């Protein structure tokens, strides 16, 4: 998704493998730039800052390894987040450190950069900020989950506009601008890739936080970084997502029961809005949680056996039957609660009867 989206601006990042470089470009940069655990991104940032462009070949030209377990993927993201913060630190250091030495080669390279000067400085800055600050921005996903939990428990919406004008001002204009920019940036990216990008925003928050902490505290080491394709099966960061999924499932079940008991079947829009909020958050983290649970249920130690781990295989037919029966029972129970009984009355009577009229005797 990132490669396709940035290709139109000539700013495709270097992913470390399956890439072709012009030799003179690497010679100008001084070779691959080390000092960060994500030296590939650091090198491509320097390349783009020097006026060069990069292109993305959206074809299957080479095979590359990818994490085969949820734990390996989370440790890989930890390394990426750590490297992103390190790259940002190096960039600020370079702003303060100016090389005053001059020679003919540097003068020539400086002249050549000025002659290239692609008109993408602002876009390049935005992409650099995205590549550097994304670990911090991911924290917003947890605020989303916390709001969903509060909504499920209290059935009180996080924001309650009093008119359609307030709603439009708060949400519609914001999301119109946001998604317009979003689709322009990722034009041509498949919907599946966009969905996966949204899922990673929710599931990799803890690795991002640990990576940022280790980057800002060189002497701290909460974990060890993981390379692509390594076969570690379990890691403590997975338990955070499993715990959040458990809380969301418990919150959804509580809201269904509370709608019939505490709320008396009234104000269904609040309860069903909370359910939608919670189910959406659960759907975002479930693919990774499912893989983590499957790793713990599967006792196989062979890499070939867990390489195809696609999560816990749920019995679709029995689950459909269960939810169908549960839905019918839920609707049948709603008929007997106060607001359900009121809904069965003629409209002229229902509007004139207070909810307190319905007692246990009636």
């Amino acid at each position: 998704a990132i490669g396709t989206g940035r290709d139109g601006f000539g700013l495709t990042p270097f992913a470390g493998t399956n890439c072709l470089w012009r030799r003179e470009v690497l010679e100008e940069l001084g070779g691959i730039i080390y000092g960060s655990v994500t030296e590939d991104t650091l090198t491509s940032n320097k390349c783009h800052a020097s006026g060069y462009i990069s292109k993305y070949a959206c074809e299957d030209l080479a095979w590359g390894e990818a994490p085969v377990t949820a734990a390996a993927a989370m440790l890989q993201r930890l390394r990426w987040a750590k490297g992103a913060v390190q790259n940002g630190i190096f960039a600020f250091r370079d702003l303060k450190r100016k090389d005053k030495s001059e020679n003919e080669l540097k003068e020539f390279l400086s002249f050549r950069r000025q002659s290239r000067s692609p008109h993408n400085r602002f876009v390049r800055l935005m992409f650099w900020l995205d590549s550097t600050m994304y670990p911090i921005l991911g924290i917003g996903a947890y605020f989303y989950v916390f709001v969903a939990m509060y909504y499920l428990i209290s059935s009180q919406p996080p924001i309650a506009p009093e008119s359609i004008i307030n709603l439009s001002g708060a949400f519609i204009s914001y999301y119109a601008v946001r998604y317009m920019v979003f689709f322009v940036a990722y034009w041509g990216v498949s919907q599946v890739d966009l969905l996966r990008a949204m899922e990673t925003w929710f599931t990799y928050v803890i690795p991002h936080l640990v990576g940022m902490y280790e980057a800002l505290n060189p002497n701290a080491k909460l974990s060890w970084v993981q390379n692509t394709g390594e076969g570690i099966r379990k890691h403590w960061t997975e338990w955070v997502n499993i715990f959040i999924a458990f809380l969301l499932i418990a919150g959804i079940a509580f809201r269904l029961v509370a709608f019939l008991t505490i709320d008396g079947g009234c104000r269904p829009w609040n309860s069903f809005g909370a359910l939608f909020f919670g189910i959406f958050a659960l759907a975002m983290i479930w693919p990774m949680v499912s893989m983590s649970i499957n790793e713990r249920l599967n006792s196989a130690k062979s890499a070939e056996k867990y390489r195809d781990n696609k999560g816990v295989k749920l019995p679709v037919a029995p689950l459909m039957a269960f939810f169908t029966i549960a839905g019918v029972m839920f609707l049948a129970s709603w008929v007997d609660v106060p607001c359900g009984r009121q809904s069965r009355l003629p409209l002229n009577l229902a509007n004139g009867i207070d909810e307190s009229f319905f007692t246990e005797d009636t």
Side-chain angles (χ1 to χ4, degrees):
I2 296 177
T4 305
R6 298 186 181 183
D7 178 64
F9 299 96
L11 296 172
T12 300
F14 174 37
T17 58
N18 301 332
C19 177
L20 296 176
W21 281 83
R22 287 171 55 188
R23 181 173 179 176
E24 65 177 57
V25 177
L26 283 177
E27 290 177 346
E28 178 179 340
L29 299 178
I32 300 296
I33 303 174
Y34 292 97
S36 168
V37 295
T38 53
E39 71 285 344
D40 47 4
T41 305
L42 185 62
T43 304
S44 63
N45 289 343
K46 183 66 174 179
C47 173
H48 295 145
S50 300
Y52 290 104
I53 64 173
S54 56
K55 302 297 292 182
Y56 175 66
C58 189
E59 303 178 50
D60 296 332
L61 301 177
W63 290 98
E65 286 188 320
V68 296
T69 63
M74 298 189 81
L75 285 172
Q76 182 195 53
R77 290 289 178 147
L78 189 155
R79 178 172 62 87
W80 289 358
K82 182 177 180 178
V85 177
Q86 288 177 335
N87 294 346
I89 294 174
F90 293 153
F92 285 113
R93 287 178 180 176
D94 290 341
L95 292 177
K96 297 181 180 180
R97 185 190 305 141
K98 295 183 179 180
D99 186 4
K100 298 181 179 180
S101 61
E102 294 291 342
N103 53 47
E104 294 182 359
L105 177 60
K106 290 185 177 180
E107 291 180 1
F108 169 72
L109 295 177
S110 176
F111 171 78
R112 191 169 64 174
R113 280 196 296 269
Q114 293 176 4
S115 63
R116 288 191 301 263
S117 63
H119 302 287
N120 59 5
R121 178 171 298 181
F122 175 76
V123 177
R124 177 164 51 84
L125 175 62
M126 293 297 102
F127 286 161
W128 178 85
L129 288 174
D130 177 64
S131 299
T132 305
M133 305 296 292
Y134 78 88
I136 302 175
L137 301 178
I139 301 176
Y142 274 4
F143 286 103
Y144 193 101
V145 173
F146 293 150
V147 170
M149 287 300 305
Y150 171 80
Y151 199 2
L152 287 169
I153 294 174
S154 66
S155 78
Q156 298 299 322
I159 183 172
E162 298 178 355
S163 66
I164 189 64
I165 297 178
N166 293 339
L167 178 65
S168 302
F171 285 99
I172 297 179
S173 58
Y174 165 74
Y175 279 103
V177 175
R178 175 180 177 179
Y179 283 107
M180 180 181 66
V181 175
F182 181 82
F183 284 112
V184 168
Y186 292 102
W187 186 264
V189 180
S190 69
Q191 299 298 315
V192 175
D193 289 336
L194 293 177
L195 177 61
R196 289 172 179 169
M198 188 178 298
E199 291 173 353
T200 59
W201 186 61
F202 280 86
T203 54
Y204 290 129
V205 178
I206 287 298
H208 289 169
L209 292 176
V210 175
M212 287 190 296
Y213 176 77
E214 291 190 359
L216 297 174
N217 298 272
N219 297 327
K221 194 169 183 63
L222 297 179
S223 181
W224 54 283
V225 296
Q226 187 76 5
N227 293 322
T228 304
E230 294 293 330
I232 187 171
R233 296 188 58 188
K234 301 175 184 178
H235 193 256
W236 65 267
T237 54
E238 297 177 271
W239 285 108
V240 179
N241 288 335
I242 295 175
F243 179 68
I244 291 176
F246 171 78
L247 289 180
L248 288 172
I249 293 173
I252 291 171
F254 170 80
R255 176 48 31 210
L256 289 171
V257 175
F259 172 69
L260 297 177
T261 56
I262 301 176
D263 297 343
C266 301
R267 298 180 302 161
W269 49 87
N270 281 345
S271 292
F272 288 108
L275 289 174
F276 176 82
F277 215 146
I279 291 174
F280 174 79
L282 179 62
M284 291 295 100
I285 67 174
W286 179 252
M288 185 68 75
V289 169
S290 179
M291 292 180 62
S292 298
I293 294 175
N294 192 39
E295 289 292 340
R296 283 153 179 78
L297 296 178
N298 185 5
S299 60
K301 296 183 179 180
S302 172
E304 295 300 326
K305 292 185 178 181
Y306 66 75
R307 183 174 293 274
D308 296 329
N309 178 16
K310 297 180 180 180
V312 178
K313 295 182 179 179
L314 300 176
V316 178
L319 283 178
M320 291 180 63
F322 169 79
F323 285 115
T324 301
I325 297 173
V328 173
M329 294 178 62
F330 178 83
L331 292 176
S333 301
W334 179 77
V335 174
D336 291 329
V337 298
C339 285
R341 290 198 295 265
Q342 184 178 356
S343 66
R344 289 181 293 169
L345 294 174
L347 184 61
N348 58 342
L349 293 178
N351 291 335
I353 298 179
D354 186 74
E355 291 183 11
S356 61
F357 172 79
F358 298 99
T359 63
E360 293 297 329
D361 297 334
T362 58

